[in-house]
Amino acid sequence: MGLDGLASLVSALHEAGYRVVGPTVRDGAIVLDEIGSAEDLPHGVAIEQEAAAYRLERRDDEAVFGWAVGPHSWKQELMPSRVRLWRASVSGNGHGPTIEEEPPPLKPLAILGARPCDVHAIAIQDRVFLGGPYIERDYAQRRDGAFLVVVNCGVPGGTCFCTSMGTGPRAEEGFDLALTEILDGEHRFVVEAGTERGREILALLPTRQATPEDVGAALLVTHEAARRMGRELDTVRLPELLASNRDNPSFRAVAERCLTCGNCTAVCPTCFCTSVEDVNDLADGSAERWRVWDTCFSVDYSYIHGGSVRRSSMSRYRQWLTHKFGTWVDQFGTSGCVGCGRCITWCPVGIDVTEELAAIRATEGEVERADAR
Ligand code: SF4
Ligand code: SF4
């Protein structure tokens, strides 16, 4: 389909009752927000990103998805940074408080323009929130019925390493529709339906049957993206490497640079730590409970009776890295990292997980002196 098909896709999703959220340019970045029409999507925009660096640039064409990922991930839609869980109010009839749980969203979500690594990140959060004996009610309500349009990557970011993590640059499953943008003269999209409802929406769009040349061009787009990946990571025996190198001197070196700001966990599409805040209104006697994003980089997050169990920045960085790339596998069966590179781009001091893990591998078996811990 052509650009008119993309415009029709946004309209069809609105008409099907979805709240459509996708990428748009705001405040010098590509962020995720409600999309009223295809005009709201980025046109002719590229991103230059490196460790601690991100800059929008102008492309010399009108590509809509000619960039990789921005600071936002779909976590903010499915697991927002602040959510009211319930509200309690005094009824005045002497029978105690009335508790109202937060109602589900009015409209199901249509995710427009997720990247293949994002689809894997959503699958990881599904396992965390929906896959165990305890279901996260708010996440389940937001996830329920969500329509997912993935866009295969043609332009990897300088900090991307999805090929190392097996999560991109082409989506194999987990989507309703998958688009590949082709710019070889005729600006068009090859569209693949992954579900029945994806086929139903596709049937409403102005399309023509893809030719073998179209399919070949689409495969070339992701093949080239894989070749131009910004970073790579050796994942061989990674959980074992981390488990047996707890006292590796590299942790001290990175801790000397880490500000423990938690930016990396905020932008990470899989990090899921939260805290709860109770808010009381003394005037009307009501109370509310809110769920808010938290981070393992804060001292308070590991406060257990009597104090924090991870008081040094080194222990908190180590906790994050070893969980994400090691013990996450024991817990959930996959790595906690999808190789999106956001934590590298948005770390204010440019700490790069691919470099840190390579440094641990290069010094495997070395142990920091006990008096330096
Ligand atoms: S690694 Fe970077 S982003 Fe993460 S807490 Fe440390 S300074 Fe902040
Ligand atoms: S750890 Fe970094 S590269 Fe991996 S998924 Fe999180 S933000 Fe992306």
Side-chain angles (χ1 to χ4, degrees):
M1 69 183 187
L3 277 172
D4 59 335
L6 191 61
S8 299
L9 173 59
V10 177
S11 304
L13 291 170
H14 279 299
E15 278 160 28
Y18 292 102
R19 187 173 71 90
V20 183
V21 177
T24 194
V25 175
R26 196 175 64 225
D27 300 333
I30 293 180
V31 298
L32 302 178
D33 206 343
E34 289 204 28
I35 297 297
S37 76
E39 289 300 305
D40 295 338
L41 297 167
H43 289 260
V45 177
I47 300 177
E48 266 302 312
Q49 54 183 323
E50 259 306 324
Y54 177 99
R55 192 176 60 230
L56 287 194
E57 293 190 341
R58 181 78 209 158
R59 290 174 60 102
D60 56 12
D61 57 28
E62 285 303 305
V64 183
F65 299 100
W67 47 276
V69 294
H72 287 172
S73 76
W74 299 96
K75 176 169 88 170
Q76 72 178 47
E77 288 298 325
L78 298 170
M79 182 205 161
S81 55
R82 286 187 69 79
V83 157
R84 187 168 62 189
L85 299 177
W86 51 255
R87 182 174 191 279
S89 53
V90 179
S91 58
N93 61 8
H95 293 299
T98 305
I99 297 178
E100 299 161 59
E101 291 196 333
E102 194 66 5
L106 293 175
K107 291 182 173 183
L109 173 68
I111 290 172
L112 176 61
R115 297 304 189 170
C117 62
D118 290 328
V119 176
H120 280 265
I122 292 170
I124 287 174
Q125 289 215 318
D126 283 354
R127 274 193 289 281
V128 172
F129 292 130
L130 310 176
Y134 304 105
I135 304 296
E136 221 296 342
R137 190 181 62 92
D138 183 77
Y139 182 89
Q141 287 177 340
R142 291 171 192 275
R143 184 74 175 92
D144 189 31
F147 190 97
L148 212 160
V149 182
V150 65
V151 179
N152 291 320
C153 284
V155 185
T159 55
C160 291
F161 56 102
C162 65
T163 43
S164 300
M165 304 312 291
T167 58
R170 170 170 292 278
E172 305 291 345
E173 58 182 8
F175 54 81
D176 294 295
L177 289 175
L179 314 186
T180 307
E181 185 172 30
I182 301 171
L183 296 146
D184 60 1
E186 184 195 352
H187 191 173
R188 63 201 191 281
F189 298 85
V190 169
V191 191
E192 185 187 339
T195 60
E196 190 48 44
R197 61 184 184 157
R199 269 182 283 280
E200 287 167 12
I201 291 287
L202 184 55
L204 302 172
L205 311 182
T207 56
R208 63 168 171 79
Q209 185 64 40
T211 63
E213 289 72 31
D214 292 325
V215 174
L219 289 172
L220 189 61
V221 165
T222 46
H223 178 78
E224 282 298 304
R227 213 176 48 80
R228 290 159 51 206
M229 202 57 45
R231 297 280 200 279
E232 63 181 349
L233 176 67
D234 181 355
T235 58
V236 174
R237 294 187 306 106
L238 204 43
E240 295 80 5
L241 178 79
L242 290 167
S244 59
N245 279 274
R246 283 181 48 79
D247 293 322
N248 188 287
S250 305
F251 285 119
R252 171 68 56 197
V254 71
E256 282 169 5
R257 298 166 59 211
C258 177
L259 310 173
T260 68
C261 62
N263 265 17
C264 48
T265 58
V267 295
C268 179
T270 67
C271 276
F272 56 77
C273 291
T274 56
S275 185
V276 288
E277 288 176 1
D278 288 343
V279 184
N280 301 323
D281 187 329
L282 296 179
D284 67 3
S286 67
E288 294 179 346
R289 173 159 292 177
W290 289 73
R291 190 196 67 199
V292 296
W293 285 359
D294 208 331
T295 171
C296 54
F297 280 92
S298 94
V299 181
D300 289 347
Y301 196 70
S302 56
Y303 187 98
I304 298 175
H305 177 71
S308 173
V309 294
R310 297 189 200 103
R311 275 175 288 182
S312 69
S313 52
M314 184 189 79
S315 63
R316 297 203 289 284
Y317 187 86
R318 182 173 58 193
Q319 150 63 24
W320 180 72
L321 196 75
T322 54
H323 185 216
K324 185 81 31 188
F325 291 89
T327 51
W328 201 299
V329 179
D330 304 330
Q331 255 184 309
F332 302 112
T334 66
S335 172
C337 174
V338 297
C340 71
R342 288 180 176 95
C343 60
I344 305 172
T345 303
W346 297 96
C347 172
V349 292
I351 292 173
D352 178 338
V353 281
T354 63
E355 283 178 8
E356 297 311 320
L357 289 163
I360 293 169
R361 196 179 285 281
T363 54
E364 184 175 1
E366 287 185 22
V367 175
E368 186 179 75
R369 290 190 337 270
D371 61 356
R373 277 179 223 163

